[in-house]
Amino acid sequence: MSTQVDTAVLPDSGDRPLVVLVDAPSGMERRLVDRWLGRVRGDAQAGGRGLEVLPADSEQLAARLTRGDNPLLVPVRVVWATDPEPDGTLLRLADVLTRGWALRNRARAARRSPPQHEVVVGRPATVRELLRRHRRERDSTDTADFVRFVARQATLALDRAERALTGNRFKVPREVASQIIGSAHFSREIRRLAAETGRPEDDVSAEAATDLESIVASLDPSAVDLFSGVLRPMHEKAWTVHADTAGLEPLRELNAEHALVFLPSHRSYTDPFVLADVLRSNDFPRNHVLGGDNLRILGLEQLARRSGIIFIRRSFGGDPVYKAVVREYFSWLSAKRFNLEWYMEGGRTRTGKLRPPKYGLLSDVASAVETRRAEDVYLVPVSIIHDQLQEVHQMAAEQTGATKTPEGLRWLAGYARAQRRPVGGVHVSFGEPLSLRAALSAANDPALDVRPSQTGEDTDGVAAEDSAARRLALQKTAFEVFVRINRVTPVTPIALAALALLGVRDRALTLSQVRRVVEPVLDYVDARGLPHTGIGSLRTNGGVAEALLSLRREKVVSAYTEGSEPVFSVERGHHIVAAFYRNSAIHHFVNRAIVELSILEVGDLTGRDALARGFQAALDLRDLLKYEFFFPDKETFREELIRELTLIDPDWQSGVDDVARTQKLLRQSRFLCAHRVLRSFVDAQWVVAERLAEHDPDTPVDEDALLDRSAAVGRQLLLQGKLHGPESLSRELFASAVRLASNRGLLTPSPPREGEPDLATRRRAFAAEIRGVVERVVTIDETDATNRQESAGVRP
């Protein structure tokens, strides 16, 4: 009773008795099944088979299962025709709590003449097959437990048969808590926890049952419809959804055999609702969506849980029972092929680009694969990007010290009101799915050389007792997911308009000047074949004006229109907002920026020496930026750099003078981007590094105080013109720089290792390294300005 569905046909039982288990909660349904059985009973008896009919939940089932003749059990159910889209006006909260919508739909179908229904037959199984499965899965030899197990398997088989008619969105889990608590695997886990903690098994089991009850989500189609109806206004008026549905086709095939874990980028509270609508409209089952306890909003929590939201604590590494419950629940969902969804960044991005991933939940899913509870699970990278977001202004304010508004009903109402104005499109793209089993195996290959420091050190619940190799494998896997998200994230007109305006300081640009900045970028996007959303419009002044006016409506850009022609600049105080939009596409240009700076670093070297020095300079920059961007393994990174170098100089390997020619072509290039892409990040690093260099090496560093001091001095340097723009004064950028310094051992006073300089010397070297990068970025900036001045007669 597991996967194969035959509609209205009884299987051949051979010499075994044939027992039909009828799932018919109403008298009408039992009569319809009896009528159907009347048509097929003769065929069965003519074939010499005995045919018995029992209610699936009847008391007679126990006696029939223990008779010893190993019958073939065949589950049968009536499926009523459903309305494709239930009338939203009829979906009331009381219906969800009482299953009223489902009952009303059944009644409507039954009243039609003839009744609109179909009898479905689930996949059969013999009693011995079910007994073997019961002994493998359950920690019980009790007959009553076996009878309940058989009834549940019949229900699951009929659910699968029904979905062949109604669609995958009606796939729902049943009796989850009882299945998990009674499983052999979880019983062993309870005994292990009791032994490790020295507590009685009954106490641990009771605590686990309570924890499980607090997190298990149910899926009721009526609740899903209602929840979507309540929350859809939070995005349907603000954005037009554009989805890459071609990316869903391979997922559909994978989902037939494996659970999928959707791992989207996270920019807005509406992301789960947007993705849910896209999947629903393409007949994917509803995901189980992970949400933090802070989103348990009074009045909506029960509805949310019945629509598949799993509320879990934001941190639970110190609670072994809770962690075991979460791991077991995820393993159960994965084994039963229910799809999951969570946001590995741990919260909405404040900068517009991906935040460092957290790995705790991935660890729990990985355990299902490692213990072979599930053969495999496929991770699905998902990019969700918005043309514009009303909430960006609040997130930007938080970067400069504003307090985050706590979630609640009042907050939700205000948030929903803010989404009533249309602001553009939201773009959903699906990256190449990643086999978790293959990823964990490949991540242990030392040749890939993706260091854990590249992806951060916050494991967010990955058990301390896990081996270093396992932690590294999880980090590499999460890292690869983010690389794949970036690959499918499109470049938008808004992102390029912000890129152009942030590239100049304290100046406004005309439409033609913005277009001259953007056109080489468009050529580069075409040459790379990068994903994008209608950026070709930026080749005209009208298209540029449309993008800038969109930003002006959101108070990101200001326009002066009283002169001979309009000029545009970033609105005072909103540079971090503009940077948010720019950063949504910035990852596509980071390798190009690194190549530009590496070519400058080569100097007068030639041949292999130049190539080796250039690649080492690129690796140094990769290490410097590892907490800001996601890079592939060294070999892939090298191949990507070579492709970038070839775009600058297609003949870079042609002769002994190739380096000088490449440097000349770079200086003359219409597309130089290091200053537009990296300046705010290296400026923030430089501010932090200089504060560290002046800090007493014998005094421990207070990180919060360091961040506050960096913000204060950074503002002074900006006023002095020593920083390029206010977008570098982001607390998140400063925090990334502090993590980099910590990774290099520059925060905690400690005796130097043998042959190593003291802490003060290493801090000064760190500051000098970043200062050198800033100087090269400035050189690219000056070269670009000179090129534009010569080509247009106007200094941009």
Side-chain angles (χ1 to χ4, degrees):
M1 301 180 187
S2 57
T3 56
Q4 185 65 35
V5 174
D6 288 319
T7 303
V9 175
L10 284 176
D12 183 359
S13 64
D15 296 331
R16 296 187 183 89
L18 189 65
V19 177
V20 177
L21 301 181
V22 180
D23 178 19
S26 71
M28 171 175 281
E29 288 170 336
R30 179 58 195 259
R31 288 192 295 273
L32 291 172
V33 171
D34 287 342
R35 188 181 306 166
W36 172 78
L37 283 170
R39 292 195 299 269
V40 300
R41 188 187 300 268
D43 295 338
Q45 293 174 339
R49 295 174 288 169
L51 188 151
E52 304 172 57
V53 181
L54 294 175
D57 57 354
S58 67
E59 295 180 358
Q60 305 99 296
L61 182 58
R64 188 64 191 83
L65 294 176
T66 57
R67 189 179 299 177
D69 56 351
N70 193 29
L72 185 69
L73 306 181
V74 183
V76 172
R77 172 189 293 169
V78 171
V79 176
W80 298 98
T82 60
D83 293 330
E85 291 292 337
D87 185 352
T89 63
L90 298 176
L91 286 173
R92 296 177 290 108
L93 183 58
D95 286 346
V96 174
L97 300 180
T98 63
R99 299 184 65 85
W101 170 79
L103 295 174
R104 243 194 340 268
N105 187 76
R106 179 183 298 170
R108 284 197 301 268
R111 284 196 299 268
R112 292 166 184 156
S113 182
Q116 294 189 1
H117 75 283
E118 186 164 350
V119 175
V120 295
V121 177
R123 184 172 180 176
T126 66
V127 170
R128 288 176 188 168
E129 289 173 12
L130 292 168
L131 186 60
R132 285 194 296 270
R133 195 184 309 169
H134 177 257
R135 290 171 177 170
R136 184 172 64 249
E137 297 181 11
R138 304 288 292 177
D139 189 41
S140 173
T141 58
D142 182 64
T143 299
D145 188 73
F146 176 58
V147 173
R148 289 191 295 271
F149 177 81
V150 170
R152 185 163 52 247
Q153 295 304 306
T155 299
L156 293 175
L158 289 168
D159 287 347
R160 296 186 184 103
E162 184 172 341
R163 288 199 300 274
L165 300 176
T166 61
N168 284 321
R169 77 182 184 92
F170 289 97
K171 181 179 181 180
V172 297
R174 297 179 186 270
E175 303 178 33
V176 178
S178 63
Q179 290 193 60
I180 293 176
I181 290 173
S183 70
H185 187 276
F186 194 57
S187 296
R188 290 193 296 269
E189 187 70 6
I190 293 296
R191 291 192 290 270
R192 181 188 68 80
L193 287 169
E196 288 183 359
T197 60
R199 298 171 56 191
E201 282 187 29
D202 288 346
D203 287 357
V204 175
S205 180
E207 181 181 338
T210 300
D211 288 343
L212 191 61
E213 185 64 32
S214 74
I215 66 172
V216 165
S218 59
L219 276 177
D220 185 321
S222 57
V224 172
D225 289 334
L226 178 57
F227 194 62
S228 298
V230 168
L231 297 176
R232 188 173 291 116
M234 290 176 58
H235 69 80
E236 68 177 356
K237 292 184 179 180
W239 300 285
T240 301
V241 178
H242 305 281
D244 172 26
T245 55
L248 288 172
E249 290 311 309
L251 301 182
R252 199 183 310 280
E253 296 179 11
L254 288 173
N255 206 186
E257 300 294 333
H258 305 286
L260 304 178
V261 176
F262 290 83
L263 299 172
S265 57
H266 197 17
R267 290 174 171 82
S268 170
Y269 284 111
T270 63
D271 293 339
F273 314 126
V274 170
L275 179 58
D277 278 358
V278 170
L279 294 177
R280 172 192 170 95
S281 64
N282 286 274
D283 195 33
F284 273 77
R286 168 70 170 166
N287 292 342
H288 285 72
V289 183
L290 276 292
D293 266 353
N294 61 307
L295 296 177
R296 288 183 188 262
I297 297 175
L298 183 65
L300 282 179
E301 178 185 349
Q302 185 176 4
L303 175 61
R305 291 184 63 184
R306 292 195 64 152
S307 67
I309 307 296
I310 301 172
F311 292 107
I312 62 172
R313 302 174 194 167
R314 295 188 70 84
S315 179
F316 50 86
D319 188 336
V321 176
Y322 191 89
K323 181 169 179 58
V325 166
V326 172
R327 184 171 56 242
E328 190 69 19
Y329 184 32
F330 281 17
S331 293
W332 186 90
L333 290 170
S334 301
K336 302 299 183 183
R337 296 196 298 278
F338 287 103
N339 296 341
L340 282 159
E341 172 190 333
W342 72 82
Y343 296 77
M344 274 206 299
E345 295 169 88
R348 295 166 300 153
T349 175
R350 266 56 176 176
T351 62
K353 61 182 181 59
L354 291 172
R355 305 174 83 181
K358 298 179 182 294
Y359 316 106
L361 298 178
L362 183 62
S363 173
D364 294 327
V365 172
S367 68
V369 176
E370 292 164 336
T371 59
R372 298 201 174 274
R373 305 279 299 285
E375 179 186 346
D376 202 355
V377 170
Y378 277 81
L379 309 180
V380 182
V382 184
S383 168
I384 304 178
I385 186 173
H386 311 71
D387 287 337
Q388 293 187 84
L389 278 169
Q390 288 97 334
E391 59 204 89
V392 171
H393 290 274
Q394 174 60 31
M395 291 192 290
E398 292 169 12
Q399 290 304 295
T400 55
T403 302
K404 182 179 182 290
T405 304
E407 292 84 358
L409 276 177
R410 184 176 180 181
W411 162 85
L412 182 63
Y415 186 83
R417 283 195 301 270
Q419 310 305 317
R420 292 177 179 175
R421 285 188 303 107
V423 291
V426 54
H427 309 277
V428 183
S429 305
F430 298 90
E432 181 184 358
L434 179 66
S435 160
L436 182 54
R437 179 173 296 282
L440 292 173
S441 176
N444 286 311
D445 182 356
L448 293 181
D449 190 41
V450 180
R451 291 159 287 178
S453 59
Q454 275 187 233
T455 57
E457 297 167 334
D458 183 3
T459 56
D460 183 46
V462 176
E465 65 270 16
D466 281 349
S467 69
R470 186 178 190 270
R471 291 197 298 271
L472 179 58
L474 290 170
Q475 291 170 354
K476 290 179 178 179
T477 301
F479 183 80
E480 178 61 24
V481 169
F482 276 27
V483 168
R484 296 187 185 198
I485 290 175
N486 276 339
R487 284 177 186 158
V488 297
T489 299
V491 181
T492 68
I494 296 295
L496 295 188
L499 181 77
L501 293 182
L502 287 170
V504 297
R505 183 172 64 185
D506 301 330
R507 293 183 47 236
L509 299 180
T510 66
L511 292 177
S512 295
Q513 287 173 324
V514 173
R515 203 179 91 197
R516 280 197 291 272
V517 171
V518 168
E519 280 184 335
V521 187
L522 301 178
D523 293 338
Y524 175 80
V525 169
D526 289 342
R528 285 272 313 275
L530 298 178
H532 60 82
T533 62
I535 59 175
S537 64
L538 297 178
R539 293 190 184 274
T540 66
N541 280 2
V544 171
E546 182 179 354
L548 292 175
L549 291 175
S550 295
L551 288 168
R552 186 188 183 191
R553 283 192 294 270
E554 298 304 313
K555 297 180 173 55
V556 182
V557 165
S558 62
Y560 180 75
T561 60
E562 301 301 319
S564 59
E565 61 179 317
V567 290
F568 299 84
S569 60
V570 177
E571 182 79 39
R572 184 178 297 275
H574 290 85
H575 286 72
I576 291 179
V577 178
F580 183 98
Y581 294 123
R582 176 200 65 186
N583 291 348
S584 67
I586 203 172
H587 57 275
H588 287 302
F589 310 111
V590 170
N591 282 355
R592 168 68 182 229
I594 288 175
V595 168
E596 291 173 7
L597 299 181
S598 299
I599 290 174
L600 293 184
E601 184 71 7
V602 168
D604 296 331
L605 295 175
T606 60
R608 292 184 178 276
D609 291 340
L611 187 61
R613 181 69 193 98
F615 186 56
Q616 185 56 53
L619 289 178
D620 292 342
L621 288 166
R622 174 180 182 252
D623 188 71
L624 199 67
L625 298 167
K626 64 191 175 187
Y627 288 106
E628 296 294 357
F629 302 103
F630 294 90
F631 300 101
D633 60 88
K634 279 186 181 179
E635 189 55 40
T636 302
F637 180 62
R638 183 187 183 95
E639 293 171 358
E640 291 177 352
L641 295 184
I642 288 175
R643 287 195 290 270
E644 294 290 346
L645 184 58
T646 303
L647 288 176
I648 296 171
D649 180 6
D651 300 318
W652 64 274
Q653 290 180 302
S654 62
V656 294
D657 296 328
D658 52 355
V659 175
R661 185 188 64 250
T662 301
Q663 291 172 332
K664 180 179 179 180
L665 289 172
L666 175 67
R667 288 192 297 269
Q668 296 173 345
S669 174
R670 293 178 64 238
F671 178 49
L672 293 172
C673 71
H675 56 302
R676 300 183 187 277
V677 171
L678 299 181
R679 183 67 187 269
S680 58
F681 302 99
V682 295
D683 271 357
Q685 289 180 336
W686 174 61
V687 171
V688 171
E690 293 289 354
R691 305 292 70 72
L692 269 178
E694 66 185 19
H695 191 86
D696 181 359
D698 297 322
T699 303
V701 173
D702 182 315
E703 293 189 20
D704 287 336
L706 176 59
L707 291 173
D708 291 340
R709 180 65 177 162
S710 296
V713 176
R715 184 154 297 279
Q716 170 204 321
L717 296 172
L718 179 66
L719 292 171
Q720 292 177 290
K722 295 181 179 180
L723 297 183
H724 180 269
E727 63 272 19
S728 62
L729 303 181
S730 161
R731 195 172 183 87
E732 191 128 333
L733 298 192
F734 289 145
S736 294
V738 171
R739 293 179 67 207
L740 175 64
S742 176
N743 176 253
R744 294 194 176 189
L746 300 176
L747 297 188
T748 306
S750 60
R753 293 191 292 268
E754 184 177 353
E756 180 183 64
D758 60 31
L759 180 58
T761 302
R762 288 188 288 118
R763 285 177 175 173
R764 288 194 297 271
F766 180 55
E769 177 188 359
I770 297 174
R771 192 161 50 246
V773 175
V774 172
E775 290 170 356
R776 279 185 278 158
V777 170
V778 170
T779 298
I780 293 292
D781 191 358
E782 293 172 345
T783 302
D784 188 44
T786 299
N787 290 348
R788 295 185 186 284
Q789 186 177 24
E790 292 175 353
S791 64
V794 178
R795 186 180 175 87

